[in-house]
């Protein structure tokens, strides 16, 4: 049973003398407002949007817009819940720390390690994807060499300071944002016949209903489309982790939460709508060349493939950069709470959790090795077993928010600067939708949904078992292990 948390003042220094094994000054407020703004905007735009959307369009036709709208709505609701908790209590552990307080140490331990596992596997996936593009440009360097170079450069960036991470991410995310905005504007003009000098006879709103109708493969394809696009939304929660190292965490979280609706609407729904209006959904070029490349090619834009490769590479580097940052901060938070080795909670004089970063990237290197040596066995298991973690995280956020709202109202109601709509009914409805999607994955054998959910559940069960064994051996955790972030009030909890 988890005792009722009390929101007390803790020290202003997150990694000061009170931190186990601290050797530095703890996490520091090194992210500027412009960094946080771009991280919030770009965090929801993953490489999966550019690379994975073609399979969704081929499966659901123009109806893929409903799939994106459904998942986008789910993300908006989950981010609203997370925003409520994080605005009241900004911390580098984000939802893992909230789960620790609201549900118990077993929940914070389990979801924290699952999330860390997800991102270190993503490091290998994205490093390999980037290496493929770079090898195409400079074949003299082998793929594994490019993967090594990319990982080393971004590791060095993260080791310098949180400000260097923020600066790199500012430019990476900026390129993504500008590229999608330009694509929407140019494509939109072409759809309505307003783009001078471009032959776009295929383009038009008629592509939404012609070629078999809006739902050419039936309404069931919408749910299949959901399974194909849901994981491209992972990353929207990064802003709540990064906010803990900003100058004004509460304001940063509030701003990121309030802007999630237009970010999803513009960058996902807007860009995909342009794609399915520029080309018939069943055009072979969509699956052959990729949806965005095919759309650009249809406008006669020279070197469309290379332009998109550059944008995808930027997205890959952004994902790698943020993935390493996110994994290391989650490891740091776990170390602060005694759920990981104490060394993970140590920071350098620049406020960098060096051991947590190196441990995360080390696992990433091992995963890259598996990708090259055992791609169809070990690495495939790693990818599939981490595939449903996004949905697990969202489900835990729902249940955490249900309890945390009561805790915050009882202890510090003035901190409810962001509120979940129609609480608790919309929270329960969101949780039910996530459970439904997880259940539907069990019926999906065509796109490996069943394998992904079963392997993910297996890994989750192992982590949960470890959590309960540790809990039984330790008999609970003292409140002093609760995470803190510089200059903020933090809640503390005894879980036992």
């Amino acid at each position: 049973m988890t005792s009722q948390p009390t929101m007390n003042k803790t020290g202003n220094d997150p990694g000061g003398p009170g931190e186990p094994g601290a050797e530095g000054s703890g996490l520091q407020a090194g992210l500027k407002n412009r960094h946080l703004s771009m991280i919030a905007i770009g965090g929801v735009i993953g490489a999966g949007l550019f690379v994975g959307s073609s399979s969704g369009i081929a499966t659901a036709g123009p109806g893929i817009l409903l799939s994106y709208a459904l998942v986008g709505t789910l993300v908006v609701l989950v981010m609203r819940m997370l925003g409520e908790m994080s605005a009241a209590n900004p911390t580098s552990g984000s939802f893992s720390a909230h789960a620790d307080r609201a549900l118990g140490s077993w929940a914070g331990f389990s979801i924290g390690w699952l999330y860390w596992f997800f991102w270190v596997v993503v490091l290998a996936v994205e490093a390999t994807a980037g290496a493929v593009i770079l090898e195409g440009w400079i074949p003299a360097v082998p793929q594994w060499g490019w993967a090594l170079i990319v990982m080393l450069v971004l590791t060095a960036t993260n080791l310098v300071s949180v400000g260097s991470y923020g600066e790199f991410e500012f430019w990476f995310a900026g390129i993504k944002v500008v590229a999608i905005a330009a694509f929407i504007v140019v494509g939109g003009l072409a759809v309505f016949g307003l783009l001078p000098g471009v032959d776009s006879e295929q383009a038009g709103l008629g592509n939404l209903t012609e070629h078999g109708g809006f739902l050419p493969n039936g309404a069931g394809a919408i749910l299949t489309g959901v399974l194909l696009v849901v994981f491209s939304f992972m990353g929207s929660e990064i802003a709540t982790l990064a906010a803990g190292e900003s100058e004004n965490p509460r304001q940063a979280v509030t701003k990121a939460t309030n802007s999630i609706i237009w970010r999803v609407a513009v960058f996902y729904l807007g860009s995909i709508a342009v794609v399915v209006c520029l080309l018939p959904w069943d055009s072979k070029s969509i699956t052959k060349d990729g949806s965005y490349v095919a759309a650009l090619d249809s406008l006669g834009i020279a070197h469309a493939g290379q332009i998109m490769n550059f944008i995808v590479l930027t997205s890959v580097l952004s994902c790698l950069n943020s993935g390493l940052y996110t994994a290391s901060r989650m490891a740091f938070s776990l170390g602060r709470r005694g759920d990981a080795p104490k060394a993970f909670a140590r920071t350098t004089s620049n406020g960098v959790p060096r051991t947590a970063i190196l441990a995360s990237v080390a696992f990433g290197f091992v995963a890259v090795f598996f990708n090259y040596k055992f791609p169809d066995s070990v690495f495939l298991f790693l990818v599939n077993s981490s595939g449903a973690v996004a949905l697990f995280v969202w489900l835990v956020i729902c249940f955490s928010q249900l309890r945390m709202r009561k805790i915050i109202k009882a202890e510090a109601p003035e901190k409810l600067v962001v509120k979940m709509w129609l609480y608790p009914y919309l929270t329960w409805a969101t949780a039910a939708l996530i459970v439904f999607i997880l259940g539907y994955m069990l019926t999906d054998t065509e796109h490996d949904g069943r394998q992904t959910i079963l392997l993910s559940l297996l890994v989750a069960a192992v982590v949960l078992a470890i959590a309960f064994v540790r809990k039984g051996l330790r008999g609970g955790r003292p409140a002093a292990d609760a995470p803190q972030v510089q200059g903020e009030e933090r809640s503390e909890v005894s879980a036992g």
Side-chain angles (χ1 to χ4, degrees), residues 156-206:
T157 299
N158 275 265
L159 285 173
V160 172
S161 69
V162 68
S164 63
Y165 154 74
E167 198 63 33
F168 268 72
E169 191 57 24
F170 176 81
W171 292 106
F172 287 153
I175 292 173
K176 289 190 294 184
V177 169
V178 170
I180 292 190
F183 176 81
I184 292 173
V185 171
V186 172
L189 291 174
V191 168
F192 292 103
L194 301 175
L195 193 64
V198 171
D199 179 16
S200 52
E201 294 181 357
Q202 297 183 90
L205 297 177

Side-chain angles (χ1 to χ4, degrees), residues 54-352:
S54 56
S55 58
I57 293 172
T59 299
I64 194 66
L65 288 170
L66 297 180
S67 301
Y68 273 103
L70 185 60
V71 179
T73 300
L74 183 63
V75 170
V76 167
L77 295 174
V78 170
M79 278 299 296
R80 189 74 185 180
M81 297 177 220
L82 181 56
E84 176 181 300
M85 295 184 290
S86 295
N89 185 31
T91 170
S92 61
S94 189
F95 53 84
S96 173
H98 303 321
D100 189 291
R101 297 185 180 101
L103 305 177
S105 59
W106 64 271
F109 175 94
S110 303
I111 206 63
W113 276 113
L114 285 173
Y115 191 69
W116 179 88
F117 174 60
F118 170 86
W119 279 111
V120 293
V121 172
V122 166
L123 292 180
V125 173
E126 300 295 340
T128 303
V132 170
I133 296 174
L134 290 167
E135 187 190 29
W137 292 343
I138 308 177
V141 180
Q143 243 186 69
W144 66 266
W146 279 120
L148 179 64
I149 291 170
V150 167
M151 292 272 277
L152 287 176
V153 169
L154 293 179
T155 300
T157 299
N158 275 265
L159 285 173
V160 172
S161 69
V162 68
S164 63
Y165 154 74
E167 198 63 33
F168 268 72
E169 191 57 24
F170 176 81
W171 292 106
F172 287 153
I175 292 173
K176 289 190 294 184
V177 169
V178 170
I180 292 190
F183 176 81
I184 292 173
V185 171
V186 172
L189 291 174
V191 168
F192 292 103
L194 301 175
L195 193 64
V198 171
D199 179 16
S200 52
E201 294 181 357
Q202 297 183 90
L205 297 177
N207 285 326
L208 294 174
T209 54
E210 298 170 1
H211 310 281
F214 185 70
L215 295 171
N217 296 324
I222 297 173
L223 287 176
T224 305
V226 165
L227 303 185
L228 296 174
V229 307
V230 65
F231 305 112
S232 66
F233 281 84
M234 192 65 166
S236 53
E237 70 291 330
I238 292 175
T240 63
L241 279 86
E245 293 176 82
S246 67
E247 298 167 350
N248 192 330
R250 187 165 288 116
Q251 182 184 50
V253 169
T254 303
K255 186 175 180 180
T257 302
N258 291 336
S259 66
I260 187 69
I261 296 177
W262 71 261
R263 285 187 278 138
V264 169
V266 172
F267 296 122
Y268 276 87
L269 288 175
S271 64
I272 293 297
V274 168
V275 169
V276 295
C277 286
L278 285 176
L279 283 171
W281 71 272
D282 54 358
S283 173
K284 293 181 179 179
S285 61
I286 290 181
T287 52
K288 179 184 176 183
D289 303 323
S291 53
Y292 288 81
V293 172
L296 291 175
D297 275 333
S298 72
L299 300 179
I301 295 178
H303 310 295
Q306 291 304 320
I307 293 173
M308 191 50 59
N309 273 339
F310 173 73
I311 296 171
V312 171
L313 178 62
T314 303
S315 296
V316 164
L317 295 176
S318 172
C319 191
L320 265 172
N321 195 38
S322 289
L324 183 52
Y325 170 84
T326 305
S328 64
R329 268 41 179 194
M330 185 57 71
F332 171 85
S333 178
L334 289 167
R336 288 276 305 152
R337 288 177 272 144
D339 289 336
K342 290 183 179 180
F344 284 11
R346 296 190 182 120
T347 59
T348 65
S349 58
N350 290 333
V352 174

Side-chain angles (χ1 to χ4, degrees), residues 412-424:
E414 70 279 2
K415 292 186 177 182
L416 277 174
V417 294
V418 175
K419 291 185 179 181
M420 176 59 183
W421 307 294
L422 298 178
Y423 170 87

